[in-house]
Amino acid sequence: MIRAHEGLDQPWDTTGLHKLLKELDTVPARRVVLAATGTVLTTLAWQSLAAPIPRLIAPRKPTTAVPPSALRIVDSLVSSAQAADDREGSSARQTISMSVPIIVKLLQEGDYSPETGAHLARSLAQICQTLASMHHDELAAGISQRLYLMALRAAHAAGDHALVASILARMSGQAADYGQAADAVQLAATATEAAAHAAPSVRALVAARKGIAHASARELDAFEASIDDSNRFFEQADLQAEVPSWAGRTDRTELDAIAGRGLVILAAKRTADPLVVLPRASELLQARAQTPLSGDYQRSALRHGALYSLAQAQLGNLDTAVDAAETALTRLPAVASTRSVMLLRDLAFFLDRHSSAYPRVRTIVHEINGHCRRLHLR
């Protein structure tokens, strides 16, 4: 049994990165990995902003050159992993993990310029970020956090402040999901600082995710301020400009969905009047919930579709709630996401009180519970 941060406390320089690469164990076999909390976690986050950016150089005795074709292959692996995560959730995580040793070997043994070294480190950070997201979806909190921390080290070594911000924002979201509201707010603050000079589209995404941290902490005013910032940054964004691949879904639909999720959290915590915030949440969630079944971002559509259904059910709009739940269930065969099924389980629990008088509700509750039983969820 280990903590997620164990073995990662190396200097934030080239020597430290190469030590981590040498001992890198992204998913420790046969060991329980416990998530870190409190200052152990937030200190690492602040260190990622304060430490100087190293100049990545090849090892003293490189065994082979890193040609442009190798970088193109690595880029293809990164983009394919991100697309699989968006479409299918966690189902491809074992396959994607096989790309980590490829990039690590190039960094450890290749002959490359500092620019190419930064490119490889950035690629490693993106792969680890994607794998972390997948493991989080399957409730493997410790493994997911370990991968995020490794991604943070690699993104820092690459000098990619926007990617550092993305990773910290995702770590904040993970902390919020597990009830660590204070950690979530701290991590969101570091993400905001890291994104200070990033493109407006990146800042819009980071600000929206910061809103989730404040919602989890029951900070209504701070939530609203974060969403206002997100909207302001999005209005400043040049939608024709090139953005990092991991920020590709920073569009109005996704930002609205994140804001809607925050409102559902606030309603659940009774921080705001549900009858006031849930209609607004439903409006914001609707577009993502109704993503075509053939479209991208099926994982997000499943998760936010479940939240849209829950909001509608709480407002008493049972037909709309059932319609949304049916659409979400239709996505399940193609999307692996235990967290989303758990959301559907919560929805079924809420709907069940109406099942005796409403046949459609009874049917959808039965179908959701069947999926939960197959995943051994109670």
Side-chain angles (χ1 to χ4, degrees), residues 199-280:
S201 58
V202 172
R203 299 182 75 182
L205 185 58
V206 169
R209 289 175 172 160
K210 185 180 181 184
I212 297 297
H214 289 301
S216 72
R218 302 187 178 190
E219 298 171 350
L220 177 59
D221 289 344
F223 165 81
E224 295 287 6
S226 295
I227 298 307
D228 287 345
D229 285 343
S230 177
N231 291 333
R232 176 167 53 83
F233 290 137
F234 184 73
E235 290 171 0
Q236 296 172 0
D238 179 358
L239 300 183
Q240 303 302 316
E242 185 176 350
V243 297
S245 58
W246 51 263
R249 65 175 181 177
T250 310
D251 59 12
R252 183 76 273 162
T253 297
E254 187 66 14
L255 294 176
D256 283 351
I258 295 171
R261 182 177 5 134
L263 290 169
V264 172
I265 293 170
L266 289 166
K269 292 178 177 292
R270 300 290 172 176
T271 307
D273 184 350
L275 294 180
V276 173
V277 299
L278 287 177
R280 180 180 162 204

Side-chain angles (χ1 to χ4, degrees), residues 162-363:
L163 184 53
V164 166
S166 171
I167 294 161
L168 290 168
R170 286 174 176 267
M171 290 173 64
S172 171
Q174 182 185 42
D177 283 345
Y178 284 101
Q180 304 293 334
D183 289 350
V185 170
Q186 278 286 310
L187 290 165
T190 61
T192 300
E193 186 166 331
H197 302 290
S201 58
V202 172
R203 299 182 75 182
L205 185 58
V206 169
R209 289 175 172 160
K210 185 180 181 184
I212 297 297
H214 289 301
S216 72
R218 302 187 178 190
E219 298 171 350
L220 177 59
D221 289 344
F223 165 81
E224 295 287 6
S226 295
I227 298 307
D228 287 345
D229 285 343
S230 177
N231 291 333
R232 176 167 53 83
F233 290 137
F234 184 73
E235 290 171 0
Q236 296 172 0
D238 179 358
L239 300 183
Q240 303 302 316
E242 185 176 350
V243 297
S245 58
W246 51 263
R249 65 175 181 177
T250 310
D251 59 12
R252 183 76 273 162
T253 297
E254 187 66 14
L255 294 176
D256 283 351
I258 295 171
R261 182 177 5 134
L263 290 169
V264 172
I265 293 170
L266 289 166
K269 292 178 177 292
R270 300 290 172 176
T271 307
D273 184 350
L275 294 180
V276 173
V277 299
L278 287 177
R280 180 180 162 204
S282 296
E283 182 179 349
L284 292 169
L285 289 163
Q286 185 175 13
R288 178 55 80 217
Q290 295 177 348
T291 297
L293 294 173
S294 59
D296 295 329
Y297 312 127
Q298 291 299 306
R299 184 183 60 140
S300 177
L302 171 56
R303 184 164 179 75
H304 291 107
L307 289 170
Y308 174 67
S309 178
L310 180 62
Q312 287 292 318
Q314 290 175 306
L315 290 169
N317 303 324
L318 295 178
D319 277 315
T320 304
V322 171
D323 288 343
E326 288 174 345
T327 300
L329 280 172
T330 303
R331 302 185 199 276
L332 269 180
V335 179
S337 174
T338 300
R339 284 198 308 138
S340 297
V341 175
M342 290 181 69
L343 269 178
L344 288 168
R345 180 196 61 182
D346 294 341
L347 171 64
F349 181 80
F350 184 87
L351 287 172
D352 193 47
R353 68 189 68 177
H354 303 284
S355 61
S356 60
Y358 200 48
R360 286 194 73 205
V361 170
R362 187 162 58 249
T363 299

